[in-house]
Amino acid sequence: MLADLRRPERTFTIRQLCNEFKATPRALRFYEDKGLLCPAREGLNRVYSHKDRVRLQLILRGKRVGLSLSEIREILDLYDENDDGAAQMARSLKKFRERTAALEQQREDIDGALIELHQACARLEQRLAEIRPDLLPRAADYDQVLRARLDGHADAVLGK
Amino acid sequence: MLADLRRPERTFTIRQLCNEFKATPRALRFYEDKGLLCPAREGLNRVYSHKDRVRLQLILRGKRVGLSLSEIREILDLYDENDDGAAQMARSLKKFRERTAALEQQREDIDGALIELHQACARLEQRLAEIRPDLLPRAADYDQVLRARLDGHADAVLGK
DNA sequence: CCGCAGGTTGACGTTTACGTAAACGTTGAC
DNA sequence: GTCAACGTTTACGTAAACGTCAACCTGCGG
C-alpha cells in the first residue's frame, strides 16, 4: 500500500516531475516564482502533490499552444478562485478562443510569408537557370521538396 | 534635372526612408549597428543611396518572412562578397528554402496547437452546456472574436 | 570523516529588436 | 536671438523564459 504509486497521496520530487515532463528544475522553480505553482515544503525541499502535477500539466499544455506564462497564470487563478467552476470554465473558454483566433491569424501570416518566399525562390531559380544552371538544386533539394509534399503543405504553398 | 526624384543619383534622408517604409530612425540606426546598412555620411548625417534603399527593402522583406536580422545580414553579405552574383543567389535560394521549411514546420505546430485548443474548447463547451448553458457564448463573444481578428490584421500591417 | 548526489536560494547572463531618454549640434523661420 | 525641427551619439530599459553560476545544506554509503 505504501508502494502504490498511483494513489493520490503520492507525492513527487522536483526531479521526478522534471523527468516525467522533460522540464528542468530551474523551470519549475521559475513557474513557482511566477505564481503558477506552489508546492508544499518538507523542510526546504519542494514536495509536489497530484494537484501540483495537474497544474504543471496544464502549464505545459498552455505553453504548447503558445500561451504566455502570465496568460496561463490567469487561467490557473480562475480555477483557484473557484466559486462553482462554471464561470471560470467560461472564461477559460474565452481565453482559448482568443488564442485560437490569434493562431489562425499567425497561420495566415505564415502563409503570406510562404507566398513571398515562394515568389522570391521562383525569381532566383529563374535567374540562376539563365546564368548558372549548374548551381540549381538537385538530389538534396529534391529531398526537401518531396518531404514538403508528403507533409501535404506543398499543395497549399505551390498554388493549391 | 536636379528635381528628378527617380534618378539614381537621388539620395534619401533617414526620415524619408522611415516614412516610405514605416520604420523608425532608431530601427535604421540599429540595422546599421548590426552591419545591415552602411549609408554614406555628409558630416555626421546619414545619406542613403538607392542601393541602401534596396538593402532596406530586402531587410524589411526578410523580416516579414520571419528571418532574424543576423540571417538577413548573412544573405546581404553574400550579395556583397559578390564574385558574379550567381553563387550568392544560390546561397540565398538555399536560405529561403530553409526558411520555407521552418515556416512549414511552424504551421504544423500551429495546427497541432489548434487541435489541442479545439479539443479543450469542445470539452469546456460540453461541460458548460451541462452545467450552465447560460454561460455559453453569444453575440457579444462573436464580436470579440471578430475584433481580435481585425486587431490581428492591424498589428500585422503596422509591423508588430 | 569524506565525498557525492541531490536539494535550496539568490543573482546575474542570454537573446532579439528595438524604445526611450539625455545631451548635444545644425539649420531655417520668425 | 531664439525656438522648433531635424539630425547625431551613448547608453540604459524592456519583455520572456529560463540558463548558468555560486555558495550553501543534507542525507547516505563507505
Side-chain angles (χ1 to χ4, degrees), chain A residues 61 64-67 79 84-87 89-90 92-101 103-114 116-118 120-125 127-128 131-132 135-137 141 144-145 148 151 153-154 156-157, chain B residues 61 64-67 79 83-87 89-90 92-101 103-104 106-114 116-118 120-125 127-128 131-132 135-137 141 144-145 148-150 152-153 156:
Chain A
R61 175 171 302 168
R64 278 201 300 280
V65 302
L67 292 171
Y79 282 103
D84 69 346
M89 286 172 62
S92 298
L93 182 53
K94 193 178 150 211
K95 268 279 170 196
F96 288 169
R97 289 194 171 156
E98 287 170 5
R99 182 94 271 261
T100 298
L103 281 181
E104 282 167 353
Q105 178 59 51
Q106 270 191 44
R107 243 179 54 147
E108 281 182 43
D109 293 345
I110 286 179
D111 287 346
L114 282 174
E116 270 208 67
L117 277 173
H118 189 241
C121 284
R123 280 196 298 272
L124 284 176
E125 282 164 11
R127 294 273 302 141
L128 272 180
I131 313 179
R132 294 284 303 274
L135 291 179
L136 274 179
D141 309 64
Q144 285 196 340
V145 174
D151 287 342
H153 287 303
V157 172
Chain B
R61 174 170 303 168
R64 280 200 300 278
V65 302
L67 292 171
Y79 280 103
D83 30 286
D84 68 346
M89 286 173 61
S92 297
L93 183 53
K94 193 176 153 215
K95 267 279 169 196
F96 289 168
R97 290 195 170 156
E98 287 170 5
R99 181 95 272 262
T100 298
L103 282 180
E104 282 167 352
Q106 270 191 46
R107 246 182 60 137
E108 279 184 46
D109 294 344
I110 286 179
D111 287 347
L114 282 174
E116 271 207 67
L117 277 172
H118 192 76
C121 284
R123 279 196 297 272
L124 283 176
E125 282 164 13
R127 294 271 303 140
L128 271 180
I131 312 179
R132 293 284 302 274
L135 291 179
L136 276 178
D141 306 63
Q144 284 198 339
V145 173
R149 238 171 248 270
L150 292 175
H153 278 299

Side-chain angles (χ1 to χ4, degrees), chain A residues 22-38:
Chain A
K22 300 291 177 188
T24 70
R26 179 70 182 93
L28 297 213
R29 295 188 196 111
F30 185 73
Y31 300 153
E32 189 175 337
D33 247 36
K34 294 289 166 179
L36 303 188
L37 287 175
C38 42

Side-chain angles (χ1 to χ4, degrees), chain A residues 26-96:
Chain A
R26 179 70 182 93
L28 297 213
R29 295 188 196 111
F30 185 73
Y31 300 153
E32 189 175 337
D33 247 36
K34 294 289 166 179
L36 303 188
L37 287 175
C38 42
R41 297 301 181 109
E42 210 170 70
L44 280 182
N45 291 15
R46 288 164 175 80
V47 178
Y48 295 87
S49 68
H50 266 84
K51 293 197 64 170
D52 294 320
R53 206 182 79 114
V54 168
R55 284 179 78 92
L56 179 56
Q57 278 182 320
L58 290 175
I59 292 169
L60 297 177
R61 175 171 302 168
K63 289 207 58 182
R64 278 201 300 280
V65 302
L67 292 171
S68 74
L69 291 188
S70 62
E71 288 175 310
I72 294 171
R73 185 167 47 80
E74 285 180 50
I75 294 179
L76 255 31
D77 288 350
L78 292 181
Y79 282 103
D80 287 348
E81 292 167 6
N82 69 353
D83 29 286
D84 69 346
Q88 307 90 21
M89 286 172 62
R91 276 176 293 209
S92 298
L93 182 53
K94 193 178 150 211
K95 268 279 170 196
F96 288 169

